[in-house]
Amino acid sequence: MDRSAPCPCHSSLSYQQCCQPYHFGAHPEKAEALMRSRYCAYALNMPEYLIATTHPENEQYTKNTSLWKKSIQQFAQTTQFNSLEILEAAQIGTTATITFKAGLIQSRADASFTERSTFEKVDGRWLYLSGEVLAGNIRQ
Ligand SMILES: [Zn+2]
């Protein structure tokens, strides 16, 4: 995608100034930046990044990455990622929780949801550990 275009995570920064460095291997300092970069990776259909930033203890984690990749790609291709709103972010030591609202459309229907995600920093890298859907229409 065009690096100077607005970042798909809806931060109002350009992709280059926002999530691109993380997609190219930089490690976000804050869990919130990782969360945004994962939303962005869904919007850009980047399953490898999503897999690489998932904690091995996450319930969706599987060694069958080809199947996992397909399910991410299918979700990414059939979803419009219209908005992202961070409602709350907190960090204690190497654990962070972020509550966000993702505004999504699937098959012309509202598939928005609010989730409280938990992230753990392992060897200097934030990983997505678990998510609890607080409200909404889908589970992904
Ligand atoms: Zn971004």
Side-chain angles (χ1 to χ4, degrees):
M1 81 166 266
D2 179 359
R3 289 150 26 106
S4 59
C7 194
C9 81
H10 305 287
S11 61
S12 81
L13 297 170
S14 69
Y15 178 53
Q16 192 173 13
Q17 291 171 309
C18 188
C19 294
Q20 190 191 38
Y22 308 131
H23 293 165
F24 279 66
H27 297 161
E29 198 58 41
K30 298 251 178 203
E32 187 177 328
L34 179 77
M35 191 269 127
R36 298 198 81 91
S37 73
R38 284 177 49 87
Y39 176 97
C40 192
Y42 276 112
L44 296 176
N45 194 356
M46 302 175 74
E48 290 85 359
Y49 183 78
L50 290 154
I51 289 170
T53 54
T54 299
H55 198 292
E57 283 166 29
N58 182 284
E59 62 181 11
Q60 288 181 332
Y61 191 90
T62 168
K63 293 222 188 306
N64 187 347
T65 48
S66 67
L67 200 68
W68 191 3
K69 213 172 133 174
K70 268 188 205 139
S71 94
I72 293 170
Q73 282 171 328
Q74 218 228 321
F75 175 74
Q77 283 162 6
T78 56
T79 306
Q80 284 170 257
F81 298 84
N82 287 353
S83 65
L84 175 64
E85 204 182 327
I86 308 288
L87 304 175
E88 207 179 355
Q91 183 185 340
I92 300 170
T94 55
T95 302
T97 56
I98 295 169
T99 307
F100 64 90
K101 183 172 184 202
L104 309 182
I105 303 283
Q106 286 179 317
S107 312
R108 294 189 196 142
D110 184 9
S112 303
F113 65 97
T114 302
E115 177 178 314
R116 186 189 296 124
S117 293
T118 303
F119 298 86
E120 194 189 3
K121 203 171 196 179
V122 181
D123 297 331
R125 293 181 58 209
W126 285 107
L127 299 174
Y128 174 56
L129 181 59
S130 62
E132 183 193 352
V133 174
L134 306 176
N137 305 325
I138 59 149
R139 182 69 226 260
Q140 166 68 33

Short mmCIF file of all heavy atoms in Angstrom, two decimals, residues 1-31:
data_model
loop_
_atom_site.label_atom_id
_atom_site.label_comp_id
_atom_site.label_asym_id
_atom_site.label_seq_id
_atom_site.Cartn_x
_atom_site.Cartn_y
_atom_site.Cartn_z
N MET A 1 0.83 -1.20 0.00
CA MET A 1 0.00 0.00 0.00
C MET A 1 0.86 1.24 0.00
O MET A 1 2.05 1.19 0.29
CB MET A 1 -0.96 -0.03 1.20
CG MET A 1 -0.38 0.40 2.54
SD MET A 1 -1.68 0.72 3.76
CE MET A 1 -1.92 2.50 3.58
N ASP A 2 0.25 2.39 -0.32
CA ASP A 2 0.95 3.67 -0.36
C ASP A 2 1.36 4.07 1.07
O ASP A 2 0.52 4.22 1.94
CB ASP A 2 0.00 4.71 -0.97
CG ASP A 2 0.64 6.10 -1.03
OD1 ASP A 2 1.79 6.25 -0.60
OD2 ASP A 2 -0.04 7.03 -1.52
N ARG A 3 2.66 4.22 1.27
CA ARG A 3 3.18 4.46 2.62
C ARG A 3 2.75 5.80 3.20
O ARG A 3 2.73 5.99 4.41
CB ARG A 3 4.71 4.39 2.61
CG ARG A 3 5.24 2.98 2.41
CD ARG A 3 6.60 2.93 1.69
NE ARG A 3 7.41 4.11 1.85
CZ ARG A 3 8.50 4.18 2.63
NH1 ARG A 3 8.88 3.12 3.32
NH2 ARG A 3 9.20 5.27 2.70
N SER A 4 2.42 6.75 2.30
CA SER A 4 2.02 8.07 2.80
C SER A 4 0.50 8.18 2.98
O SER A 4 0.00 9.20 3.44
CB SER A 4 2.53 9.16 1.87
OG SER A 4 1.99 8.94 0.58
N ALA A 5 -0.22 7.11 2.62
CA ALA A 5 -1.68 7.11 2.80
C ALA A 5 -2.02 6.98 4.28
O ALA A 5 -1.19 6.51 5.06
CB ALA A 5 -2.29 5.96 2.01
N PRO A 6 -3.23 7.39 4.66
CA PRO A 6 -3.61 7.27 6.08
C PRO A 6 -3.53 5.82 6.56
O PRO A 6 -3.87 4.91 5.83
CB PRO A 6 -5.07 7.75 6.09
CG PRO A 6 -5.25 8.53 4.84
CD PRO A 6 -4.27 7.98 3.84
N CYS A 7 -3.04 5.64 7.76
CA CYS A 7 -2.87 4.28 8.30
C CYS A 7 -4.24 3.61 8.45
O CYS A 7 -5.17 4.22 8.99
CB CYS A 7 -2.14 4.31 9.63
SG CYS A 7 -1.59 2.67 10.10
N PRO A 8 -4.35 2.36 8.01
CA PRO A 8 -5.64 1.64 8.13
C PRO A 8 -6.11 1.42 9.58
O PRO A 8 -7.23 1.01 9.80
CB PRO A 8 -5.36 0.29 7.45
CG PRO A 8 -4.20 0.55 6.54
CD PRO A 8 -3.37 1.59 7.25
N CYS A 9 -5.27 1.73 10.57
CA CYS A 9 -5.73 1.62 11.96
C CYS A 9 -6.48 2.89 12.39
O CYS A 9 -6.89 2.99 13.55
CB CYS A 9 -4.58 1.30 12.91
SG CYS A 9 -3.60 2.73 13.39
N HIS A 10 -6.64 3.84 11.47
CA HIS A 10 -7.42 5.06 11.72
C HIS A 10 -6.81 5.96 12.81
O HIS A 10 -7.53 6.58 13.58
CB HIS A 10 -8.88 4.72 12.10
CG HIS A 10 -9.56 3.86 11.07
ND1 HIS A 10 -9.97 4.35 9.85
CD2 HIS A 10 -9.86 2.53 11.06
CE1 HIS A 10 -10.52 3.36 9.15
NE2 HIS A 10 -10.45 2.26 9.85
N SER A 11 -5.48 5.99 12.86
CA SER A 11 -4.82 6.83 13.86
C SER A 11 -4.75 8.28 13.41
O SER A 11 -4.41 9.15 14.21
CB SER A 11 -3.39 6.32 14.06
OG SER A 11 -2.68 6.41 12.84
N SER A 12 -5.00 8.53 12.12
CA SER A 12 -4.86 9.83 11.46
C SER A 12 -3.40 10.14 11.08
O SER A 12 -3.12 11.16 10.48
CB SER A 12 -5.49 10.99 12.24
OG SER A 12 -4.64 11.42 13.27
N LEU A 13 -2.49 9.23 11.41
CA LEU A 13 -1.11 9.34 10.91
C LEU A 13 -1.02 8.60 9.57
O LEU A 13 -1.93 7.84 9.21
CB LEU A 13 -0.13 8.69 11.89
CG LEU A 13 -0.03 9.30 13.28
CD1 LEU A 13 0.78 8.39 14.20
CD2 LEU A 13 0.60 10.68 13.21
N SER A 14 0.10 8.81 8.87
CA SER A 14 0.30 8.01 7.66
C SER A 14 0.74 6.61 8.07
O SER A 14 1.24 6.39 9.18
CB SER A 14 1.37 8.65 6.77
OG SER A 14 2.62 8.54 7.40
N TYR A 15 0.57 5.67 7.17
CA TYR A 15 0.98 4.28 7.43
C TYR A 15 2.46 4.23 7.80
O TYR A 15 2.86 3.56 8.76
CB TYR A 15 0.69 3.43 6.19
CG TYR A 15 1.10 1.99 6.30
CD1 TYR A 15 0.68 1.19 7.36
CD2 TYR A 15 1.89 1.40 5.31
CE1 TYR A 15 1.05 -0.15 7.43
CE2 TYR A 15 2.26 0.07 5.38
CZ TYR A 15 1.85 -0.71 6.44
OH TYR A 15 2.22 -2.03 6.52
N GLN A 16 3.25 4.99 7.07
CA GLN A 16 4.69 5.05 7.28
C GLN A 16 5.05 5.53 8.70
O GLN A 16 6.00 5.06 9.30
CB GLN A 16 5.24 6.05 6.26
CG GLN A 16 6.71 6.08 6.10
CD GLN A 16 7.07 6.98 4.92
OE1 GLN A 16 6.25 7.75 4.41
NE2 GLN A 16 8.31 6.88 4.49
N GLN A 17 4.26 6.47 9.21
CA GLN A 17 4.54 7.04 10.54
C GLN A 17 3.87 6.25 11.65
O GLN A 17 4.01 6.59 12.82
CB GLN A 17 4.01 8.48 10.62
CG GLN A 17 4.75 9.45 9.76
CD GLN A 17 4.02 10.79 9.74
OE1 GLN A 17 2.82 10.86 9.48
NE2 GLN A 17 4.74 11.85 10.04
N CYS A 18 3.08 5.25 11.28
CA CYS A 18 2.28 4.56 12.28
C CYS A 18 2.64 3.08 12.33
O CYS A 18 3.64 2.71 12.95
CB CYS A 18 0.80 4.82 11.97
SG CYS A 18 -0.32 4.24 13.25
N CYS A 19 1.89 2.24 11.67
CA CYS A 19 2.05 0.79 11.84
C CYS A 19 3.10 0.14 10.95
O CYS A 19 3.56 -0.97 11.25
CB CYS A 19 0.71 0.09 11.62
SG CYS A 19 -0.51 0.52 12.90
N GLN A 20 3.50 0.80 9.89
CA GLN A 20 4.42 0.14 8.96
C GLN A 20 5.72 -0.36 9.60
O GLN A 20 6.14 -1.48 9.34
CB GLN A 20 4.74 1.05 7.78
CG GLN A 20 5.49 0.29 6.69
CD GLN A 20 6.07 1.19 5.62
OE1 GLN A 20 6.56 2.30 5.88
NE2 GLN A 20 6.01 0.72 4.41
N PRO A 21 6.37 0.46 10.46
CA PRO A 21 7.62 -0.04 11.05
C PRO A 21 7.43 -1.36 11.80
O PRO A 21 8.32 -2.22 11.78
CB PRO A 21 8.03 1.08 12.01
CG PRO A 21 7.31 2.30 11.53
CD PRO A 21 6.05 1.83 10.88
N TYR A 22 6.29 -1.53 12.45
CA TYR A 22 6.03 -2.77 13.19
C TYR A 22 5.83 -3.92 12.22
O TYR A 22 6.30 -5.03 12.46
CB TYR A 22 4.82 -2.58 14.12
CG TYR A 22 4.95 -1.36 15.00
CD1 TYR A 22 3.93 -0.44 15.12
CD2 TYR A 22 6.14 -1.12 15.68
CE1 TYR A 22 4.06 0.69 15.91
CE2 TYR A 22 6.30 0.01 16.47
CZ TYR A 22 5.26 0.92 16.58
OH TYR A 22 5.41 2.04 17.35
N HIS A 23 5.14 -3.64 11.13
CA HIS A 23 4.94 -4.69 10.13
C HIS A 23 6.26 -5.08 9.48
O HIS A 23 6.39 -6.17 8.94
CB HIS A 23 3.95 -4.22 9.06
CG HIS A 23 2.55 -4.03 9.59
ND1 HIS A 23 1.57 -3.34 8.93
CD2 HIS A 23 1.98 -4.47 10.75
CE1 HIS A 23 0.45 -3.36 9.65
NE2 HIS A 23 0.68 -4.02 10.76
N PHE A 24 7.24 -4.19 9.56
CA PHE A 24 8.56 -4.49 8.99
C PHE A 24 9.56 -4.95 10.04
O PHE A 24 10.75 -5.01 9.78
CB PHE A 24 9.09 -3.27 8.23
CG PHE A 24 8.52 -3.15 6.84
CD1 PHE A 24 7.16 -2.89 6.64
CD2 PHE A 24 9.32 -3.31 5.73
CE1 PHE A 24 6.62 -2.80 5.37
CE2 PHE A 24 8.79 -3.22 4.44
CZ PHE A 24 7.45 -2.96 4.26
N GLY A 25 9.09 -5.23 11.25
CA GLY A 25 9.97 -5.90 12.22
C GLY A 25 10.31 -5.13 13.48
O GLY A 25 10.90 -5.70 14.39
N ALA A 26 9.96 -3.83 13.57
CA ALA A 26 10.21 -3.10 14.82
C ALA A 26 9.25 -3.59 15.90
O ALA A 26 8.15 -4.04 15.58
CB ALA A 26 10.02 -1.60 14.58
N HIS A 27 9.68 -3.54 17.14
CA HIS A 27 8.83 -4.00 18.24
C HIS A 27 8.22 -2.81 18.95
O HIS A 27 8.95 -1.96 19.46
CB HIS A 27 9.64 -4.84 19.23
CG HIS A 27 10.19 -6.09 18.63
ND1 HIS A 27 11.22 -6.79 19.18
CD2 HIS A 27 9.84 -6.76 17.52
CE1 HIS A 27 11.49 -7.84 18.42
NE2 HIS A 27 10.67 -7.84 17.41
N PRO A 28 6.88 -2.73 18.98
CA PRO A 28 6.25 -1.58 19.64
C PRO A 28 6.60 -1.50 21.12
O PRO A 28 6.65 -2.52 21.81
CB PRO A 28 4.75 -1.82 19.46
CG PRO A 28 4.60 -3.01 18.59
CD PRO A 28 5.91 -3.68 18.45
N GLU A 29 6.81 -0.28 21.57
CA GLU A 29 7.11 -0.02 22.98
C GLU A 29 5.88 -0.30 23.84
O GLU A 29 5.98 -0.85 24.93
CB GLU A 29 7.53 1.45 23.07
CG GLU A 29 8.28 1.85 24.30
CD GLU A 29 9.57 1.06 24.49
OE1 GLU A 29 10.30 0.81 23.50
OE2 GLU A 29 9.82 0.70 25.65
N LYS A 30 4.75 0.07 23.33
CA LYS A 30 3.49 -0.03 24.08
C LYS A 30 2.58 -1.07 23.46
O LYS A 30 2.52 -1.22 22.24
CB LYS A 30 2.75 1.32 24.02
CG LYS A 30 3.51 2.46 24.65
CD LYS A 30 2.84 2.86 25.93
CE LYS A 30 3.58 3.97 26.64
NZ LYS A 30 3.29 4.03 28.04
N ALA A 31 1.82 -1.75 24.33
CA ALA A 31 0.87 -2.75 23.86
C ALA A 31 -0.19 -2.12 22.95
O ALA A 31 -0.68 -2.75 22.02
CB ALA A 31 0.20 -3.43 25.05
#
